[in-house]
Structure formats: structure tokens, C-alpha cells
């Protein structure tokens, strides 16, 4: 059984691991305050930290360049969208190694869909380490821009973060010490590994809030969220008090120097009563837990660490409570895990005690787990090549070029396949469209034929029915009518007057003939109409045959122009299936082009390194020969022992004729033009990496 501390319950190993916290918990910690002289000694190193790690003009330019490029890219993909910068890049509380936080605002967006679409877009642009986090509270896409080396987070509709960034930025504007203290604390927290929310410590943002809280307590800054007039804003159906009042002033001026502020920061949080208080910059000071209603939920960090269970329980909430300035339900320590809490508290006490024990700022910030920060080392494009012989690098170059060639072929093949599928889909649509008029007319005629047939049948039936009732053909009726009429109207021979009976018969016969004649005429008209319609019907049938021939002619003409369509079924469904194939190929193409992009860059880098080495050899030879030594034609970078700056690298890649680059570069002779060119390689993006849709 392991020996455990009677007070804290910590094992020996853990008591050593958290030695400062442990001695505080058992009442043995004695914090010695540094003398004025000792404290003064921190002034210069702290000033160096600020100037070495603050964001400078060049860093800002890189961010601006990337922002403009992304802004253009997203605007072309999402109508009515707005891309904004937030986080430390906007608030001014940034370390130059800090990430670049961007927020895309799109009204009524389907966030997951948008994030995935952005991921695809970035892949096509050759961005690296793309991660899509759709399950986070706010969906995020993370990636690295290989050109600027910046790590970027794009979140969707993260409106509240824009406001808290504004608040931090207003604090930064209050006093230069806000930025200075934030840089020193963030630098320390990063090197001591206590500023990484995903691994269970506080976020960089939470450390900024702790900085503001300390400066509020020290009366360096006024409480910007105070004041009688309140600004209430509804975001996603919830109301927030977003009051930010830059007219508030502080009563007494505080003249503490940065070294005093840094030391007092550590002392403040090392000795703070975390058990009973909640940090609240909204109130300008810590507030009692009872007032906030956030209690120390069990199990505590110590309970979790001391748990003998194979799977220790999850720590209860609200132990290092820090209220978000606007989202009052959000405790910024929610991400902190048990081990993280103990480490944070241990580190705060460690820093505070080291100030009074003769340690240097460098020692206080000594990096824990240096591998973790490797990606933050100054950009040295050639770090992995330094210990390799030229032959090995040449070999690497050959291999990269071979891979490039085979990938180029694959891209060409995919492109050709995509092209032929696009052609096929288009040709099909063309045939469907070109023949659609003919098809429509053909259909109209068929409908006409059917209707006319019905009418012809009706007329014929009516005609035949009338004819069956009439005993004489019309011409005979007319002859008979004429005869009877003459008989009835001729001059009478007085001696041969017909009998009345006979006269009546004649009249009746005349009337019957008249009625018959009317009907016969009707039948004759119907017959006429019948004939006309039959003729019309025959004409339409002829037309139908003409249209059928025309359609066949048009189709075969189009097929002659597009042999791809021979023996293919031509209909809208088939055309759509070709569209789908095009989309799939497009996706594969985007990925392959991204890979090709990387290979080209790698080949360029290897060539630049080999050239740099051969230049430095010839340079050495030149110096050996005294003053007369020839100067190398291309601009040489600094001594190769130190890391190269972006400018050096740009100079190498451009001045040394980057064979790997497919773009031809103009010769630049004047120094000014050369500088312009270097500038272009830096921030300017132009159309790089944008694989525009050709079709
Ligand atoms: P970061 O943790 O990246 O902070 O959160 P930062 O200030 O930008 O620090 P560095 O310089 O990159 O290390 C970015 C932004 O996300 C919002 C805040 O607006 C913060 O400025 N955020 C972060 C929250 O609103 N809540 C959180 O819990 C964390
Ligand atoms: Mg950030």
C-alpha cells in the first residue's frame, strides 16, 4: 500500500509532483516577497518577453493577408456571410504564436453543413491539418496555413465571442500594462503547460480574464461593464447584458510597474480563496459562491487524484470558478480537469515563490514538455535538413520529384476523365434540349389526331343516322319537289280540275318532300365536314411522319458531332448520373491537387536548401581568396547556423529559380523590385492554390 499524506491524501509521488500546492495545503508554505531590488531585476526580462512575443507589424501583415484571402473565398461560397476576426488577434492581447480566430456569420446557417463545406474549400487550397469539430458548443474548423504558418480556427455564428473580444480590446486600450501583463502571463502559462483547454487546463481566454480581474482589483483599469445605462441584446433567443462603457474612470491612479504586476498576479492567485469565491470581472471583483450559486461540487480535484479506482470519477464543477463576462452561466473553468486544477494551482504558487527565492524569469517560465511547443519554434524551414548530407537531401529531392511526376500524371488522367464526363453530360443535355421542340410538336400532333378521330366518328354517325331516315337521295328530292311544286302552281284547265282529295295529297307530299330536303341538306353538310376532317387528319398523319424523320435526323446529326454518345441511352436520368460522376472526380482532383501542392513546395524547399549550401560553400571560397572573391549572384541568407526568417526563405525560393514551381517568374534585377518580389511571396496570395472550377 502506498504511503499517503494524512492531510491531503496525496501519494508521495503526487506530493512531489504538486510540491508547492502540497506544502500550501499542509500549512508549510512560506511565500517570501522579493525585495525591491530583486523585483527590479525582472524589469528587463519581462520587457524582453513583451517585445519578443508581442504581435509585430510583419505578423499582423501575415494575418491580414490570410484574412483577405479567406474573406474572398468564403464570400464566393456563402451569400450574405460575414467573416470577422475575434480572439486575441483582435483584442490586442495576443502572443505572436497565438492562433488566428475567425468567426463566419451566416444567418439561418446549417452550421455543420457550412463547416464541412469550408473544410472542403480549405483542402482544395492546400491548407494543412484540417480538423472539423462539429460536436463542439460552437462548430469549428481548425487548420494550418502552410504559407503563413498560422493556426486558424473558423467558427460559425459565434456572436457572443465577438462581444467579449470587444470588451477585452477596450480593456487593452485603457492602459499599456494590460497588454504587457497579458503577454507575460500567457507566455508563462503556455510554457508551464497550464493553458490548453482540450487537455484539461484553462483556455488562453480564461487567463486573459484572470489578467483583467487582477488589474481591476489593483485599480489599474476601471470596470467597463459598470454604469447605470445597460445595453441588453438578444442573441439566439437569449438576452445578454452587453454593457461596455468606456467613459468610466478610476479614482486613484495606480503606478505599479510591470514586474510588480506580474509578481502580484501570481501572489494573488496563489493565495486566493478559491473555495469560497468566484472570479467575476463583471462585478470588478470576486463574488461569494453563495451569491453566484456555483458551489464546489464533489468530488474535488484531490478526491479524483486520490481515488484508488481503476476509472477515477469525473471532477465536480466550479472549483476554479471564473464567470464569463457576458455568458453568466458559463464557468470558464468548466474545461479544467482534476489534474489540470492541481497543476494550475501548483504552478501559480511555484511562480509566486520563485519570485522571492532568487530565480530568474527564464527559470520561472522553464518549458514543461518542450515537444509540445515544437511547432512554435521560430520558423526554420530547413531544421530537419541540417544534419543530413547533401547526397541524402538530393535523394529526397529525386524521390519528391518522382512522386510529383506520378501525381501530376494522375491529376492529368483525372482531369481528362472529368472533362469527358462533363462533355458527356453536356452532350446529352444538348440532344435532349435540341430535340425537345420536335418532341413537343410530335406529342401535340398525336393528341390532335386522337381528338379529331373522335369528332370524325361523331359526324359520321350523325350523317348516317339522318341518311337512314331519308328514302331518296337529295337530287331526287329536289326533282320531285320541283315537279310537285309545278303541279300545285300551274294554270288550271277549268274542265280538268283535280279532286280536293287529290289536291290534299299533293300538298302533303310537298310538305313531306320539304322536310326531307331539310334533313338531306343537313346530312350533306355533315358529309362535307366529314370529308374535310378526314383530309385534315391525313395531313396531320403525314406531318407526324415528317417530325419523326426530323427528330431522327437531328439526333443522328448530334450523335455524329458527339461520338461519345453512340449506343448510349439518352435521357435526363443518364445526364444526371454523369453530373454525379463529375462531382466525385472533382473531389478526388481537389485532394490530389492539394497533395501535389505540398510536394511542389517540398521540392522547392529541398532545392533551396541545396542551393543555399552550395552558395555558402562558394561564399566561403570567395572569402578565402581575399577581396577579389566573386559575390554570389543571388541574395544570400544569413549565417546558416541560425533559423531563417521568412524573408530569407522567400529570397531563396524566388532568387534561386524554384524549378519545382510551375509558375514562371520574371527576372528581377533592381533591389527594389527584388524586395517587392519578396513581399509578394510573403503576404500576397493572389490566385494561389485556388483551383477554380473550369466547367
Ligand atoms: P482563445 O482561447 O484562443 O483565446 O479563444 P485568445 O485570447 O485568442 O488567446 P491566444 O492568443 O489565441 O492564445 C479565442 C476567443 O474565443 C472566445 C473568446 O472570444 C476568445 O477571445 N472564447 C474562448 C469564449 O468566448 N469562451 C471560451 O470559453 C473560450
Ligand atoms: Mg486565439
Amino acid at each position: 500500500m502506498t504511503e499517503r499524506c494524512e492531510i491531503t491524501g496525496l501519494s508521495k509521488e503526487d506530493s512531489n509532483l504538486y510540491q508547492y500546492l502540497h506544502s500550501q495545503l499542509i500549512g508549510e508554505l512560506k511565500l517570501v516577497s522579493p525585495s525591491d531590488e530583486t523585483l527590479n531585476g525582472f524589469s528587463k526580462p519581462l520587457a524582453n518577453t513583451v517585445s519578443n512575443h508581442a504581435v509585430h507589424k510583419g505578423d499582423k501583415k501575415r494575418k491580414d493577408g490570410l484574412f483577405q484571402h479567406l474573406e474572398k473565398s468564403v464570400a464566393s461560397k456563402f451569400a450574405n456571410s460575414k467573416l470577422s476576426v475575434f480572439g486575441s488577434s483582435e483584442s490586442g492581447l495576443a502572443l505572436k504564436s497565438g492562433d488566428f480566430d475567425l468567426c463566419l456569420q451566416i444567418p439561418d446557417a446549417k452550421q455543420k453543413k457550412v463547416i464541412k463545406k469550408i473544410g472542403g474549400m480549405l483542402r482544395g487550397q492546400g491548407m494543412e491539418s484540417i480538423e472539423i469539430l462539429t460536436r463542439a458548443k460552437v462548430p469549428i474548423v481548425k487548420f494550418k496555413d502552410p504559407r503563413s504558418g498560422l493556426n486558424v480556427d473558423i467558427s460559425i455564428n459565434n456572436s457572443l465571442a465577438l462581444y467579449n473580444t470587444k470588451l477585452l480590446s477596450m480593456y487593452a486600450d485603457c492602459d499599456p500594462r494590460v497588454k504587457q501583463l497579458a503577454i507575460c502571463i500567457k507566455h508563462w502559462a503556455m510554457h508551464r503547460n497550464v493553458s490548453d483547454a482540450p487537455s484539461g487546463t484553462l483556455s488562453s481566454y480564461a487567463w486573459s480574464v484572470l489578467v483583467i480581474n487582477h488589474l481591476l482589483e489593483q485599480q489599474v483599469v476601471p470596470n467597463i461593464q459598470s454604469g447605470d445605462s445597460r445595453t441588453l441584446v438578444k442573441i439566439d433567443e437569449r438576452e445578454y447584458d452587453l454593457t461596455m462603457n468606456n467613459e468610466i474612470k478610476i479614482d486613484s491612479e495606480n503606478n505599479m510597474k510591470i514586474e510588480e504586476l506580474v509578481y502580484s498576479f501570481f501572489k494573488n492567485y496563489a493565495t486566493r480563496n478559491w473555495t469560497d469565491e468566484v472570479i467575476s470581472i463583471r462585478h470588478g471583483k470576486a463574488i461569494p459562491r453563495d451569491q453566484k450559486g456555483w458551489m464546489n461540487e464533489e468530488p474535488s480535484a484531490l478526491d479524483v487524484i486520490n481515488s484508488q479506482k481503476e476509472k477515477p470519477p469525473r471532477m465536480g464543477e466550479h472549483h476554479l470558478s471564473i464567470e464569463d463576462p457576458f455568458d453568466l452561466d458559463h464557468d470558464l473553468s468548466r474545461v479544467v480537469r482534476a489534474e489540470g486544477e492541481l497543476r494550475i494551482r501548483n504552478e501559480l504558487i511555484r511562480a509566486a515563490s520563485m519570485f522571492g527565492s532568487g530565480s530568474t524569469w527564464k527559470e520561472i517560465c522553464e518549458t514543461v514538455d518542450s515537444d509540445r511547443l515544437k511547432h512554435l519554434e521560430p520558423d526554420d524551414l530547413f531544421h530537419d535538413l541540417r544534419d543530413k548530407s547533401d547526397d541524402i537531401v538530393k535523394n529526397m529531392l529525386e524521390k519528391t520529384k518522382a512522386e510529383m511526376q506520378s501525381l501530376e500524371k494522375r491529376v492529368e488522367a483525372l482531369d481528362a476523365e472529368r472533362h469527358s464526363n462533363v462533355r458527356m453530360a453536356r452532350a446529352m443535355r444538348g440532344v435532349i434540349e435540341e430535340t425537345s421542340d420536335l418532341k413537343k410538336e410530335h406529342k401535340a400532333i398525336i393528341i390532335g389526331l386522337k381528338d379529331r378521330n373522335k369528332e370524325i366518328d361523331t359526324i359520321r354517325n350523325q350523317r348516317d343516322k339522318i341518311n337512314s331516315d331519308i328514302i331518296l337521295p337529295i337530287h331526287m328530292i329536289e326533282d320531285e319537289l320541283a315537279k310537285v311544286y309545278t303541279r300545285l302552281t300551274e294554270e288550271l284547265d277549268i274542265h280538268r280540275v283535280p279532286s280536293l282529295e287529290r289536291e290534299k295529297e299533293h300538298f302533303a307530299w310537298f310538305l313531306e318532300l320539304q322536310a326531307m330536303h331539310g334533313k338531306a341538306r343537313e346530312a350533306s353538310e355533315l358529309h362535307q365536314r366529314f370529308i374535310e376532317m378526314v383530309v385534315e387528319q391525313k395531313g396531320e398523319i403525314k406531318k407526324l411522319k415528317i417530325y419523326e424523320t426530323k427528330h431522327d435526323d437531328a439526333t443522328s446529326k448530334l450523335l455524329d458531332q458527339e461520338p461519345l454518345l453512340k449506343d448510349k441511352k439518352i435521357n435526363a436520368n443518364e445526364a444526371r448520373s454523369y453530373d454525379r460522376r463529375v462531382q466525385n472526380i472533382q473531389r478526388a482532383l481537389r485532394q490530389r491537387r492539394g497533395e501535389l501542392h505540398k510536394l511542389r513546395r517540398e521540392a522547392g524547399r529541398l532545392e533551396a536548401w541545396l542551393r543555399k549550401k552550395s552558395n555558402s560553400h562558394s561564399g566561403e571560397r570567395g572569402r578565402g581568396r581575399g577581396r577579389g572573391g566573386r559575390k554570389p549572384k543571388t541574395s544570400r541568407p544569413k549565417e546558416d547556423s541560425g533559423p531563417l526568417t521568412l524573408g530569407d526563405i522567400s529570397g531563396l525560393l524566388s532568387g534561386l529559380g524554384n524549378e519545382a514551381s510551375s509558375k514562371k517568374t520574371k527576372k528581377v534585377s533592381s533591389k527594389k523590385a527584388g524586395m517587392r518580389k519578396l513581399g509578394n511571396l510573403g503576404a500576397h496570395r493572389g490566385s494561389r492554390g485556388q483551383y477554380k472550377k473550369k466547367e
Side-chain angles (χ1 to χ4, degrees), residues 87-88 99-101:
S88 60
D99 58 4
F100 193 29
D101 301 294

Side-chain angles (χ1 to χ4, degrees), residues 212-227:
I212 302 296
N213 180 65
H214 181 62
L215 296 173
L216 281 164
E217 289 178 351
Q218 296 297 325
Q219 305 239 331
V220 175
V221 291
N223 182 358
I224 291 177
Q225 288 181 271
S226 62

